[in-house]
Amino acid sequence: MRHFAALVAKLGTTTKTNEKLDALVQYFSVADDRDKVWVIAIFSGRRPRRAVNSTQLATYCVELAKLPFWMFDECWHTVGDLAETIALLLPENQAAYNERRDDERPLYYYIEQLKRIEKEEEPVRKKFILESWAELNRSERFVFNKLITGSFRIGVSQKAMVNALAKATGAEASVIAHRISGNWDPGTITFDELTGEEAHATDLSKPYPFYLAYALEDEPASLGNPEDWQVEWKWDGIRGLIIKRQGELFVWSRGEELMTEKFPEYHSLQYLLPDGIALDGEIISLPPAEAGATTFRRPLPFSSLQTRIGRKNVTKKQLQEAPAGFIVYDLLEYEGEDWRSHPLSERRSKLEALMAQWNYTALELSPVVRFEDWEELKTLREQSREMNAEGFMIKKRSSIYQVGRKRGDWWKWKIDPLTIDAVMIYAQKGAGRRSGLYTDYTFAVWDGDKLVPFTKAYSGLTDKEFAQVDAFVKRNSLEKFGPVRTVKPELVFELAFEGIAASNRHKSGVALRFPRMLRWRKDKTVQEINTLEDLKRMLEVYGK
């Protein structure tokens, strides 16, 4: 636990990639193998389920610290993070700061105990929590509390962890990325099994890491000869993989969530697709295929698919209103052979031949956009919203399928976002390194002479701007509702967003897709912001 706490502290206090990489390499060189497996799991989203709820943790802390609950709440609202608040309020344990301690336990001990007590009676769970707090120092308590609350938001990327493991094991980063992906249990697998060849050979469901594109920053003409590039629409869904091996079908999301059961429309593919195949594509809502139709089915808006995300049981109505399809981009495995090292032109040619043979309702081949020159492509890009697309994907025909985000061969060329001017009316403190600042904001537009809230945003400003807004919030708070502050409606921001849809869940009647702050409009007053009518006109033009 001491090594893990030191790692978390280092990762949380530096923004430099090389320093984070060095910290991870150092950790993997000294940690217990069982701890290493759990750290890989934690940083890739495989965390143990919560054994104790927030109210119970707060109650235990209040009892130990001998504080009234109102004071605990004030501290929590100020700090902005439950795990950190408890770690700061608990009485200090000076003996726990010794470098070598008789009571020092590894990380896996605490995780396995948390799993063990999950279904025990409350007194058993309380006893373990109190005993653990008693033997840990403040930084160790912080990560222990994080293990319970499950809210790790540490600035370490999957790429950094993969590169650190590659250095520690001597394997290629692309090989490590593949081996630690998929459906594995950190409680039963060993470090050697996870990072060795054996795991890949025995896990039928194991997905391939996704190849991701960088945003195109220059004009597309800078890419050279258009004939060297394949262009497709950038569809707005959930990036996914469909895999069939030894008669079993697996559907993975980019977040490494196994989603096979969530999309019954794909179940027939278990019997239709050949064995030893892996398809990269987009999980998306597609209208039903018409009998005998051969044209590409334009996808439904992402808001349709959203009605099914996170639901354990899909209703008949949802299946009818938001039928799931899969737009196929790429062929990663064929007849059990890894095809990622084949050039895109060869993978595409094989994929076209296969799709022509299959003609399955659930699958659509992503069409290649035909164009003569870059100026023509620029004109075609303006049709993106009509296609329910976000712009273009531009891929070099000679490119192999790599791991993670790489520069040079794959680019995304998105359309310009929609924008609107709005005023901030509520503010809340952020999380992680922003837990002490008001960085989460709610925005409003005019509806007659009233301000109507319509969206939240928490990204897009510089650290300096966030600090300035935080100072404004503290000086101009009008009311307090738990962690939320009502503020004087003065600060105007230009918000950018990718799409707009009608919503019965919001008072404004609209919901935005990926809202963020484009810039702070210090040149505008609250009287000059947009109106709800402006949003509704956008909804008529761009909403579906």
Side-chain angles (χ1 to χ4, degrees):
M1 179 63 92
R2 176 164 52 90
H3 291 310
F4 182 55
L7 173 64
V8 170
K10 181 64 177 177
L11 294 174
T13 54
T14 181
T15 57
K16 296 181 179 178
T17 302
N18 287 339
E19 289 183 2
K20 291 182 178 182
L21 180 61
D22 290 344
L24 287 164
V25 171
Q26 170 64 18
Y27 178 83
F28 287 125
S29 69
V30 299
D32 182 283
D33 277 1
R34 289 167 73 179
D35 281 3
K36 294 176 190 176
V37 171
W38 273 110
V39 167
I40 296 169
I42 289 167
F43 287 166
S44 57
R46 298 173 178 84
R47 300 177 190 116
R49 289 192 298 181
R50 181 178 290 199
V52 182
N53 64 43
S54 299
T55 302
Q56 289 170 330
L57 285 176
T59 302
Y60 304 159
C61 176
V62 164
E63 291 175 2
L64 277 178
K66 296 181 174 55
L67 292 173
F69 250 109
W70 68 264
M71 186 175 292
F72 178 89
D73 286 340
E74 285 293 323
C75 294
W76 187 358
H77 295 154
T78 299
V79 174
D81 180 271
L82 177 62
E84 186 176 3
T85 301
I86 292 174
L88 291 169
L89 290 177
L90 290 173
E92 279 280 37
N93 176 13
Q94 293 299 328
Y97 286 91
N98 296 333
E99 282 196 26
R100 296 184 181 277
R101 309 198 309 261
D102 293 335
D103 61 352
E104 186 174 329
R105 302 182 193 272
L107 171 66
Y108 71 80
Y109 164 80
Y110 294 99
I111 295 177
E112 290 175 1
Q113 288 300 307
L114 286 170
K115 291 177 68 179
R116 182 186 64 79
I117 66 170
E118 183 183 331
K119 295 181 181 178
E120 296 283 356
E121 295 294 325
E122 197 269 341
V124 176
R125 286 179 276 140
K126 179 178 181 179
K127 182 174 183 291
F128 173 68
I129 299 297
L130 297 183
E131 288 177 349
S132 299
W133 281 343
E135 64 192 24
L136 298 172
N137 64 37
R138 179 174 290 167
S139 62
E140 293 164 350
R141 287 170 178 169
F142 170 67
V143 295
F144 173 72
N145 296 341
K146 283 289 189 182
L147 292 174
I148 301 171
T149 60
S151 57
F152 271 101
R153 290 177 64 179
I154 298 168
V156 56
S157 66
Q158 186 85 350
K159 180 179 178 181
M161 186 172 66
V162 165
N163 287 339
L165 283 168
K167 281 193 171 186
T169 62
E172 291 290 332
S174 59
V175 173
I176 288 292
H178 190 198
R179 290 177 182 172
I180 67 171
S181 63
N183 190 24
W184 50 274
D185 183 352
T188 58
I189 197 170
T190 68
F191 182 72
D192 288 339
E193 288 171 341
L194 178 61
T195 57
E197 182 62 33
E198 184 182 349
H200 170 56
T202 57
D203 183 5
L204 292 179
S205 73
K206 185 169 284 295
Y208 293 99
F210 289 96
Y211 186 9
L212 307 176
Y214 269 98
L216 185 65
E217 297 168 349
D218 299 322
E219 288 294 314
S222 64
L223 299 177
N225 189 348
E227 294 182 3
D228 294 336
W229 298 87
Q230 174 179 301
V231 176
E232 303 165 53
W233 295 103
K234 186 182 186 306
W235 302 112
D236 187 12
I238 301 171
R239 185 83 175 275
L241 286 178
I242 289 182
I243 298 170
K244 184 185 175 186
R245 298 187 183 118
Q246 295 186 24
E248 295 189 55
L249 186 78
F250 308 95
V251 180
W252 289 97
S253 72
R254 180 180 155 190
E256 289 198 18
E257 180 184 1
L258 198 56
M259 307 181 78
T260 317
E261 299 306 315
K262 294 185 178 182
F263 298 102
E265 295 93 336
Y266 300 159
H267 291 178
S268 62
L269 297 175
Q270 181 174 352
Y271 310 102
L272 297 172
L273 288 175
D275 267 329
I277 197 117
L279 304 172
D280 175 18
E282 199 82 9
I283 299 169
I284 204 163
S285 283
L286 288 175
E290 296 180 7
T294 57
T295 56
F296 177 78
R297 288 174 286 164
R298 188 180 71 169
L300 300 174
F302 182 79
S303 55
S304 299
L305 187 66
Q306 260 184 324
T307 63
R308 297 181 55 173
I309 295 174
R311 294 184 180 271
K312 292 183 180 179
N313 300 307
V314 183
T315 65
K316 183 178 179 180
K317 181 181 178 183
Q318 288 168 334
L319 288 172
Q320 292 173 339
E321 294 181 350
F326 191 83
I327 299 179
V328 185
Y329 296 148
D330 217 325
L331 179 68
L332 308 190
E333 183 179 315
Y334 178 61
E335 294 184 337
E337 178 192 344
D338 185 345
W339 267 54
R340 293 178 298 166
S341 61
H342 293 239
L344 173 63
S345 57
E346 189 176 334
R347 301 196 308 273
R348 176 72 189 196
S349 178
K350 187 65 177 178
L351 186 58
E352 289 176 349
L354 290 172
M355 291 290 290
Q357 294 172 23
W358 295 341
N359 193 28
Y360 302 145
T361 302
L363 302 181
E364 280 281 1
L365 179 63
S366 182
V368 171
V369 178
R370 307 297 177 186
F371 65 103
E372 293 295 327
D373 53 42
W374 296 116
E375 283 302 314
E376 183 184 0
L377 188 67
K378 188 181 294 187
T379 301
L380 291 171
R381 178 168 162 261
E382 299 306 314
Q383 301 173 16
S384 296
R385 286 197 172 91
E386 295 174 26
M387 295 291 293
N388 284 331
E390 299 179 305
F392 285 137
M393 291 295 301
I394 306 176
K395 304 173 183 177
K396 186 170 286 186
R397 296 184 188 276
S398 61
S399 64
I400 63 171
Y401 192 96
Q402 301 189 70
V403 173
R405 204 176 301 278
K406 305 288 184 183
R407 283 188 177 275
D409 289 347
W410 282 26
W411 300 95
K412 54 185 178 183
W413 190 29
K414 297 179 69 172
I415 49 176
D416 294 333
L418 300 170
T419 62
I420 198 159
D421 290 333
V423 67
M424 181 182 70
I425 59 171
Y426 304 129
Q428 185 174 347
K429 289 189 176 179
R433 70 184 186 91
R434 292 181 178 173
S435 60
L437 297 173
Y438 287 96
T439 59
D440 293 12
Y441 313 133
T442 299
F443 294 93
V445 289
W446 287 113
D447 181 16
D449 59 355
K450 296 179 181 178
L451 288 171
V452 177
F454 70 101
T455 195
K456 291 185 177 183
Y458 49 84
S459 64
L461 300 184
T462 65
D463 288 345
K464 181 179 179 180
E465 286 174 326
F466 273 126
Q468 291 173 339
V469 176
D470 175 75
F472 174 88
V473 171
K474 290 171 180 174
R475 291 195 310 268
N476 295 277
S477 292
L478 303 176
E479 293 179 284
K480 171 184 169 185
F481 301 97
V484 178
R485 300 290 187 271
T486 302
V487 296
K488 196 173 180 182
E490 283 188 6
L491 302 190
V492 175
F493 295 85
E494 182 180 6
L495 304 182
F497 50 100
E498 301 304 320
I500 184 169
S503 172
N504 294 327
R505 296 171 50 228
H506 296 79
K507 184 178 179 181
S508 63
V510 299
L512 306 188
R513 177 99 164 111
F514 293 142
R516 67 268 189 197
M517 291 167 280
L518 192 61
R519 56 177 171 151
W520 185 351
R521 296 301 305 265
K522 296 181 180 180
D523 59 321
K524 283 197 170 185
T525 67
V526 66
Q527 284 75 30
E528 298 174 276
I529 65 172
N530 286 101
T531 66
L532 186 58
E533 190 62 33
D534 294 331
L535 279 172
K536 290 181 177 178
R537 277 196 289 267
M538 283 187 176
L539 183 61
E540 290 176 4
V541 176
Y542 303 112
K544 299 291 188 297

